[in-house]
Amino acid sequence: MAALIPRSFPLLFATFLASLFCVFNITSFFLSSSVRNSGVVLSRARLVLKSSSSAASLPSSSSPPPPPSPPLPFLSPPPPPVKDDPLDFTSASARAKRRYGENIKPRVTGRKFHTVITANNAKYVEWQTRIAYHYWKEMKAKFPDSDVGGFTRILHGGHKDNLMDDIPTYVAKPLPGGNMGYVVLDRPYAFVQWLRDVDIEEDYIFMTEPDHILVRPLENLAPSEDVGAAFPFFYINVKQFESTVQRFNDKGVPLEDMAPIGNSPVILHKSKLKEIAPLWSDLAVRLKQDGQAVKDFGWVLEMYAFSIASAQVGIKYELRLDFMVQPPWDTQFLRKCVGPSEQGYRENCQDEHVWILHYTYGNDYTLEGEFTPGKYGAWRFDKRSYMATYPAFPLEMPPKQLALPGPKQNVIVWTLIEKLNEAAKALNI
């Protein structure tokens, strides 16, 4: 049997073992590289195992990186629109703009109002304020003969900031004794100072906030000098906390007179706000010092103070659901009118395009456009992700399904990101 084995076999066998050893070492090199750089392990493995398809396996230099954790999204841009393509994003955006009525000519009442926005010195508030003011200026320039008058930013941080030359600003002093860790407690006291120190020419005041974007030219919605206009918030419910409210109801006004509102968005006569402001400021401090009130009212304590103060000085409001929308819970810009069946809501009205887009809530969606409330989405936008710095504009657009007709459509979320990006480009931020 041994005679049948060639004398060269040991040499051939040794060569075979050496070749196998080399392949093993090369493969080990690539596998170990994967530990050091997990981002390319798949492409390197394919280079070893499938060299014929290596060109197709290499990642493109323009491919987006994988999403970080927590998931701030990195999505590929949508493909360019194609004629008659149902996923034509340009036409989808145009349809969205027609829906929110930016070109609706405002009704002119001759009762001009002064726009007031309150802010502190935080970077988080700064970028929102710049965007809000940009759209206010845009609307005023587009319809110069409307009821829109002047603009003031009330800065209640106590000192000037880098926007003083860009936005008309009144610097208010902080609340004596501090805000007790509740930053909006400075707001009512700031209004007291501004109303005392500044004499505006307009008879009405429109109170707004940094995260409000005007999407329709605003009109003076206040029905009269004695009645203001306000947006109703479902979470302001004085009857739910009746015992606490009654302890601060110094004038014993009926609970039905306390509207489910905060100070914004509100339009009312300046003489009425001068009556409300001192009581609003005093009530807010007293409520914050009361343990049960803090437990009951939480972060909207200052809003309850405004509602109670308004009722105690006899101010009434017409509640306007069409004042604003709040994504992602609202999906369209056309608001249903609530008639006389509910107290405080305007009567004999028609459905209206809203005036304000309020982006206070987080927006979470899968890449397929499924809404995921309470759960981080693969695509998300939440203003609170940018507390210490500006967002990295331009923001990625939402999944395409939100712009197109169908059950996943949310024109408001789509428009929000468009508006933020458009303002950031115009402001060079």
Side-chain angles (χ1 to χ4, degrees):
M1 185 72 176
L4 298 176
I5 301 175
R7 291 181 178 181
S8 61
F9 179 78
L11 179 61
L12 293 172
F13 185 69
T15 302
F16 170 75
L17 290 177
S19 301
L20 186 64
F21 180 74
C22 289
V23 171
F24 175 78
N25 278 331
I26 292 171
T27 305
S28 298
F29 167 77
F30 285 114
L31 291 176
S32 64
S33 296
S34 72
V35 176
R36 295 191 300 271
N37 190 350
S38 60
V40 295
V41 59
L42 184 58
S43 59
R44 285 186 172 175
R46 285 174 177 166
L47 284 171
V48 174
L49 300 176
K50 296 184 179 180
S51 59
S52 63
S53 62
S54 60
S57 302
L58 284 170
S60 167
S61 61
S62 61
S63 298
S69 181
L72 299 177
F74 292 82
L75 302 183
S76 300
V82 180
K83 187 176 181 181
D84 298 326
D85 184 348
L87 302 185
D88 185 332
F89 298 103
T90 302
S91 62
S93 298
R95 288 195 299 271
K97 289 181 179 180
R98 285 197 296 273
R99 284 192 183 93
Y100 66 70
E102 66 175 354
N103 293 315
I104 298 176
K105 187 175 182 179
R107 177 177 56 95
V108 178
T109 67
R111 300 174 300 141
K112 285 192 172 291
F113 58 84
H114 192 95
T115 301
V116 181
I117 196 169
T118 56
N120 60 19
N121 298 91
K123 188 68 67 175
Y124 164 71
V125 176
E126 178 184 303
W127 66 263
Q128 296 175 53
T129 302
R130 293 180 68 185
I131 290 173
Y133 183 56
H134 167 78
Y135 283 112
W136 178 89
K137 286 199 303 180
E138 186 177 87
M139 292 295 185
K140 182 172 175 62
K142 195 169 188 177
F143 297 98
D145 297 326
S146 70
D147 292 331
V148 179
F151 186 100
T152 297
R153 176 183 64 141
I154 300 180
L155 189 63
H156 52 73
H159 58 84
K160 298 180 180 180
D161 65 2
N162 61 328
L163 298 183
M164 300 296 295
D165 294 334
D166 300 322
I167 304 176
T169 300
Y170 171 86
V171 180
K173 296 178 181 178
L175 190 68
N179 58 32
M180 295 178 271
Y182 181 50
V183 65
V184 293
L185 201 61
D186 287 315
R187 178 187 292 157
Y189 183 61
F191 266 103
V192 171
Q193 298 172 69
W194 178 71
L195 290 165
R196 178 196 65 205
D197 297 342
V198 178
D199 184 22
I200 59 173
E201 64 181 34
E202 301 88 351
D203 289 331
Y204 288 81
I205 294 172
F206 164 48
M207 292 183 283
T208 185
E209 295 188 9
D211 60 355
H212 289 182
I213 293 177
L214 282 173
V215 293
R216 174 182 171 184
L218 191 59
E219 305 168 358
N220 189 338
L221 303 178
S224 68
E225 183 176 333
D226 298 320
V227 181
F231 178 82
F233 292 91
F234 71 91
Y235 47 77
I236 302 297
N237 185 351
V238 293
K239 291 183 179 179
Q240 182 180 354
F241 307 109
E242 180 174 357
S243 60
T244 301
V245 170
Q246 293 292 20
R247 288 195 293 112
F248 295 90
N249 187 7
D250 299 332
K251 296 188 177 180
V253 299
L255 295 184
E256 290 75 16
D257 291 348
M258 299 179 186
I261 64 172
N263 82 292
S264 173
V266 164
I267 300 177
L268 79 168
H269 198 275
K270 63 182 178 184
S271 65
K272 304 303 180 184
L273 185 56
K274 287 181 178 180
E275 292 182 56
I276 295 170
L279 183 55
W280 172 29
S281 180
D282 178 66
L283 266 173
V285 173
R286 290 168 57 200
L287 289 171
K288 184 60 180 174
Q289 293 172 336
D290 185 272
Q292 187 60 47
V294 171
K295 180 181 177 180
D296 289 346
F297 302 148
W299 63 275
V300 293
L301 178 148
E302 171 262 341
M303 296 173 69
Y304 273 95
F306 184 85
S307 175
I308 298 170
S310 294
Q312 291 194 3
V313 298
I315 308 301
K316 296 188 180 299
Y317 297 91
E318 183 176 77
L319 304 180
R320 301 286 303 239
L321 276 171
D322 58 342
F323 217 148
M324 71 180 186
V325 285
Q326 304 180 95
W329 304 105
D330 293 312
T331 62
Q332 303 291 335
F333 283 99
L334 190 66
R335 272 286 199 188
K336 293 294 183 182
C337 172
V338 177
S341 60
E342 296 192 37
Q343 182 174 349
Y345 291 80
R346 59 197 180 114
E347 302 181 4
N348 304 318
C349 55
Q350 297 178 342
D351 294 350
E352 292 273 12
H353 288 275
V354 300
W355 280 270
I356 296 170
L357 193 163
H358 180 209
Y359 57 101
T360 189
Y361 296 108
N363 302 265
D364 291 274
Y365 291 86
T366 68
L367 297 185
E368 293 71 39
E370 293 286 350
F371 181 35
T372 60
K375 179 182 179 182
Y376 269 31
W379 183 91
R380 76 185 314 260
F381 172 75
D382 187 340
K383 67 175 186 175
R384 292 169 185 83
S385 299
Y386 310 100
M387 298 292 289
T389 185
Y390 279 47
F393 292 110
L395 300 170
E396 296 286 355
M397 292 302 294
K400 57 183 177 290
Q401 291 84 354
L402 274 67
L404 302 171
K408 297 177 182 179
Q409 185 183 54
N410 193 318
V411 173
I412 301 174
V413 173
W414 183 274
T415 304
L416 167 62
I417 305 304
E418 274 196 330
K419 301 290 277 187
L420 293 175
N421 284 341
E422 288 173 6
K425 183 178 180 180
L427 294 168
N428 194 28
I429 59 177

